[in-house]
Amino acid sequence: METGLDKDSLKRKLSVMHADSDKVQTLIRLGQQYETNTPDSALYYYEAAGKLSEGIHYLQGTLRYIANYTAVLNVQGKFKESLQLNLRAIGIARKGHLQRQLMKALINTAVVYQYTEHYREAVNYYLQALPLVDSIGTLQERSITYGNLCSLYRNLKQPQSALRYARLALAFGEKNRDDYTVAMACINLANCLKDMGKVREAIIDIERAGRLGLKLNDDNIQETALINLGDAYLSLKEPAKYVPAYNAALPLARKISDVSGECFALHGVALGMFFKKEYLQAERLLNTSMAFARQHDQKEAWSRMLLLMSDVQIALGRPKASEDYRGRYDSVTNVLLNASLLKNIQELEARYGAEKKRRQLLQKDLQLARKQRWLVISLAGLAVLGLVFLLVYRRQETLRVKAMLTGEQQERRRISQEMHDDMGSGLTRLLFLTRSLIAGHEAAPKISDAVNGLIRQMNEVIWMMNNERDTLESLVAYLRAACAELLDASGIAMIFTVPDKMPDVILAQEVRRNMYLAVKEAVHNACKHSGANTITIAIITDKELAVSVQDNGRGIDLAGAALGNGLGNMQQRMENIGGNLEIVSEAGTLLRFSVPLSI
């Protein structure tokens, strides 16, 4: 970013410039003057730079256009378009061997995945970029990258890692004497401190960021600081301070088209109305705000609004409506972080660490080689020869033993991978083909539904076969996702409860399969037959694993329900794994599936 330049001077310069690379750079500089306060004007100049770069085949200009253009798209919540452009930038940079541009494109792609809560992909792209950041990144680029990683690790509930990256970001920003990166680093550090309960310390950093935003005349920094200040005082339960902060942030968020900031500011304004006992005004604002948050896929802000709306309904004397909003809040917020995700992230981190160490060792070897070349070559030749023989022998032994010990697991992984890669891609292609026929062929919607069903069934089979999903935590996470999808499609609210701490237990494949299918069938039957508007699913882990499915519908006739509702099939599944099925028909229907649990 090159901010603080004179717009009129740049426009006069543009009017006399030839269509070359200098004009591209000037268009981008002009767009940057508008980005923080008038984003639509910034997009106009960035797009002009992109078209000119394409016309004169100027790769660096195309990449600069994408980097700046997608930064504005991210603020406006247009993540799909941003992701497509950034992935294109990665391809252009790699093909042209442009390392600095590749570094930036990798980071920008990671940012989009982070915004859309695809954390594994975000970590993957950040860790591809980090070796380049460490070797060729400027102080500003290091500060911004570490700030992004701080936010990511906060999302992943790893506060110590987040705090480490926040402090690194601030140190590089201060070393570079860059007010912009210092301001952003202060906000990241403040968020880490808030996560750790050090709210008063966090407020000091937030206020510093706000002062820098005013100094830079940067609406984005000022808005971000105000929202974070409101959140800090909210956690301290000081409405006299958080209400003015949110009220001041709202017009700034709308001015720069920051949909995320607007959602959080709207929640804060509604919270102020609730505090003043203006319950009807708060209800009206929340209705429009929740629609806005859902439209722009702002899950965190939406969940806050649902919880506040539940409290508003209580204040208005509507306990049933309050219960409904609380159920929707639980469905949005209680999303389990799959253990395999964290495992994959740790593996990626370890890979980056190993690669960094390898490069450091290689550099030392090269320096030593310059001083003692003839000796190193001789010894290295002998060492490599011996190492080759040793590695070949050890590899043969390792493969033989590993094949004996893990043959079954490898076969399961191989089959599931082939199903995912071959059948999955084929079914997905078939699905897109049928969608293209829907407008002109009567049978196409039915084919599309059938393919969708096959894809879901294939994904279930892959999950059941994957030995890395044998944990109790994985079963609970998969159950929650499947039930939420089924109930959401049926318009039924879900309340899903789990123990505060689940035991670290490995489940047999047969137990996972039968428990999952039995619970899924129970939820499906409740959706189809019960007439309920809320279904509660509770997980209990003690000496046994128990899953209860209870609806608030009309109940069932136990004497004649076995065949019609598939209860006999569920009973058989539980008997196959040494479990039990209990059925209670009172104020709705309760089905309780249980199986002994070895802890």
Side-chain angles (χ1 to χ4, degrees):
M1 292 285 290
E2 295 179 67
T3 56
L5 304 180
D6 183 79
K7 301 184 185 70
D8 292 334
S9 174
L10 289 171
K11 289 177 183 177
R12 286 194 298 270
K13 184 177 179 182
L14 274 176
S15 64
V16 297
M17 293 185 77
H18 297 293
D20 56 16
S21 60
D22 287 339
K23 187 170 184 178
V24 170
Q25 301 296 347
T26 303
L27 284 165
I28 289 174
R29 290 190 188 99
L30 183 55
Q32 288 175 340
Q33 310 316 304
Y34 290 99
E35 183 171 320
T36 57
N37 299 327
T38 317
D40 287 339
S41 297
L43 289 176
Y44 170 80
Y45 288 110
Y46 290 153
E47 196 165 21
K51 290 178 181 178
L52 177 55
S53 297
E54 294 285 347
I56 63 175
H57 306 291
Y58 179 37
L59 293 184
Q60 288 90 336
T62 299
L63 293 170
R64 284 202 70 189
Y65 142 69
I66 291 175
N68 286 273
Y69 191 84
T70 56
V72 180
L73 293 180
N74 291 342
V75 173
Q76 295 181 340
K78 299 175 182 178
F79 300 122
K80 185 176 180 181
E81 183 182 354
S82 176
L83 180 62
Q84 290 173 343
L85 285 169
N86 280 308
L87 290 172
R88 179 187 170 211
I90 291 175
I92 293 172
R94 281 184 170 147
K95 187 174 180 180
H97 305 289
L98 303 171
Q99 293 296 91
R100 287 194 57 78
Q101 288 81 357
L102 175 60
M103 174 190 72
K104 295 177 182 179
L106 289 168
I107 292 171
N108 292 339
T109 304
V111 168
V112 180
Y113 278 123
Q114 185 175 342
Y115 275 132
T116 55
E117 301 177 12
H118 292 84
Y119 297 133
R120 181 183 177 186
E121 290 84 354
V123 171
N124 186 21
Y125 280 98
Y126 275 132
L127 293 180
Q128 288 183 58
L130 273 178
L132 295 171
V133 174
D134 289 342
S135 59
I136 63 175
T138 64
L139 292 173
Q140 183 189 54
E141 288 161 349
R142 289 189 182 190
S143 178
I144 293 173
T145 303
Y146 292 142
N148 291 344
L149 284 167
C150 164
S151 299
L152 178 61
Y153 280 100
R154 286 186 65 237
N155 294 141
L156 295 170
K157 310 302 181 188
Q158 297 187 28
Q160 293 301 327
S161 295
L163 183 62
R164 183 177 74 252
Y165 281 117
R167 286 174 172 161
L168 282 171
L170 182 57
F172 280 111
E174 290 176 336
K175 186 176 181 180
N176 195 42
R177 298 180 180 179
D178 181 352
D179 288 340
Y180 176 81
T181 51
V182 168
M184 299 308 296
C186 283
I187 290 171
N188 282 319
L189 181 57
N191 283 326
C192 292
L193 293 170
K194 282 193 297 180
D195 293 342
M196 303 172 78
K198 301 177 181 180
V199 183
R200 296 292 180 190
E201 292 181 39
I203 290 173
I204 296 171
D205 289 303
I206 295 171
E207 290 176 338
R208 181 185 179 189
R211 290 193 298 272
L212 289 170
L214 282 170
K215 176 183 175 182
L216 295 167
N217 192 28
D218 190 315
D219 290 339
N220 186 28
I221 293 176
Q222 292 179 61
E223 175 238 17
T224 305
L226 284 166
I227 290 174
N228 280 276
L229 191 62
D231 286 347
Y233 283 120
L234 176 60
S235 67
L236 294 173
K237 300 180 180 179
E238 297 183 16
K241 294 183 178 179
Y242 70 67
V243 171
Y246 289 130
N247 278 319
L250 184 57
L252 287 172
R254 286 172 172 165
K255 180 181 178 183
I256 63 175
S257 303
D258 180 1
V259 294
S260 176
E262 183 172 349
C263 286
F264 284 112
L266 285 167
H267 169 263
V269 173
L271 200 61
M273 293 176 178
F274 180 78
F275 172 72
K276 295 176 184 177
K277 298 184 180 180
E278 298 172 351
Y279 302 129
L280 290 174
Q281 295 93 319
E283 182 183 37
R284 285 194 294 270
L285 179 59
L286 283 170
N287 278 325
T288 57
S289 301
M290 287 190 295
F292 182 78
R294 286 200 67 179
Q295 177 188 353
H296 293 91
D297 197 29
Q298 297 295 313
K299 294 185 181 67
E300 184 179 350
W302 181 34
S303 69
R304 291 190 188 186
M305 294 172 186
L306 287 168
L307 185 59
L308 178 57
M309 182 64 101
S310 176
D311 293 339
V312 169
Q313 297 304 314
I314 287 288
L316 291 171
R318 304 169 187 166
K320 183 63 175 64
S322 174
E323 184 181 343
D324 289 343
Y325 279 111
R326 184 57 189 247
R328 290 168 64 187
Y329 165 78
D330 290 337
S331 297
V332 173
T333 56
N334 291 342
V335 179
L336 297 174
L337 256 181
N338 197 307
S340 64
L341 170 63
L342 292 177
K343 179 182 177 183
N344 285 325
I345 289 170
Q346 290 164 359
E347 289 175 352
L348 288 167
E349 279 190 308
R351 191 186 309 163
Y352 164 66
E355 175 64 19
K356 187 174 182 180
K357 290 179 181 177
R358 188 190 68 80
R359 293 198 321 272
Q360 291 172 346
L361 290 172
L362 181 60
Q363 185 64 30
K364 290 179 180 179
D365 287 344
L366 289 173
Q367 291 173 355
L368 182 61
R370 294 188 187 100
K371 298 178 181 179
Q372 299 176 330
R373 185 176 301 276
W374 67 270
L375 181 59
V376 171
I377 292 174
S378 302
L379 293 176
L382 293 173
V384 168
L385 185 60
L387 185 61
V388 167
F389 282 109
L390 178 61
L391 288 176
V392 170
Y393 174 78
R394 291 188 64 181
R395 180 172 175 79
Q396 289 175 342
E397 285 297 304
T398 301
L399 289 174
R400 183 178 65 82
V401 174
K402 191 173 181 180
M404 292 172 60
L405 295 177
T406 63
E408 180 181 349
Q409 291 183 357
Q410 289 176 341
E411 187 64 13
R412 283 167 62 185
R413 280 197 295 269
R414 183 189 65 80
I415 294 172
S416 64
Q417 185 65 45
E418 289 183 0
M419 288 179 67
H420 180 274
D421 292 345
D422 299 335
M423 294 181 65
S425 61
L427 287 171
T428 303
R429 183 169 180 269
L430 181 58
L431 179 62
F432 282 120
L433 289 173
T434 57
R435 285 176 179 170
S436 68
L437 297 174
I438 286 177
H441 294 75
E442 182 179 349
K446 297 180 181 179
I447 299 173
S448 180
D449 290 343
V451 174
N452 269 315
L454 287 172
I455 291 174
R456 283 194 297 270
Q457 293 173 17
M458 184 194 70
N459 287 334
E460 290 177 1
V461 171
I462 292 172
W463 173 76
M464 292 172 190
M465 293 183 65
N466 192 338
N467 61 286
E468 293 181 1
R469 304 291 188 270
D470 284 341
T471 63
L472 172 60
E473 187 176 12
S474 176
L475 170 62
V476 171
Y478 202 75
L479 267 176
R480 178 181 180 80
C483 294
E485 181 181 1
L486 187 59
L487 293 172
D488 187 62
S490 303
I492 298 174
M494 180 180 78
I495 300 174
F496 196 103
T497 64
V498 297
D500 291 336
K501 184 176 181 181
M502 281 190 292
D504 187 11
V505 177
I506 300 298
L507 300 177
Q509 182 184 1
E510 200 63 20
V511 172
R512 286 192 304 134
R513 178 176 179 274
N514 282 284
M515 180 64 81
Y516 168 76
L517 292 175
V519 173
K520 181 183 174 186
E521 185 171 1
V523 174
H524 174 76
N525 286 346
C527 293
K528 188 175 180 182
H529 302 292
S530 71
N533 59 21
T534 302
I535 292 178
T536 301
I537 302 169
I539 309 294
I540 301 172
T541 56
D542 191 4
K543 293 184 179 179
E544 64 177 10
L545 167 62
V547 183
S548 64
V549 179
Q550 181 163 19
D551 63 66
N552 63 350
R554 64 177 67 92
I556 61 173
D557 178 9
L558 292 177
L563 181 60
N565 289 322
L567 296 177
N569 188 34
M570 297 180 214
Q571 181 70 52
Q572 184 61 52
R573 289 194 183 281
M574 301 314 297
E575 289 177 1
N576 289 343
I577 58 176
N580 187 41
L581 169 61
E582 298 173 40
I583 308 169
V584 178
S585 182
E586 183 177 339
T589 304
L590 168 67
L591 279 73
R592 185 177 187 275
F593 306 89
S594 59
V595 65
L597 193 62
S598 298
I599 300 178

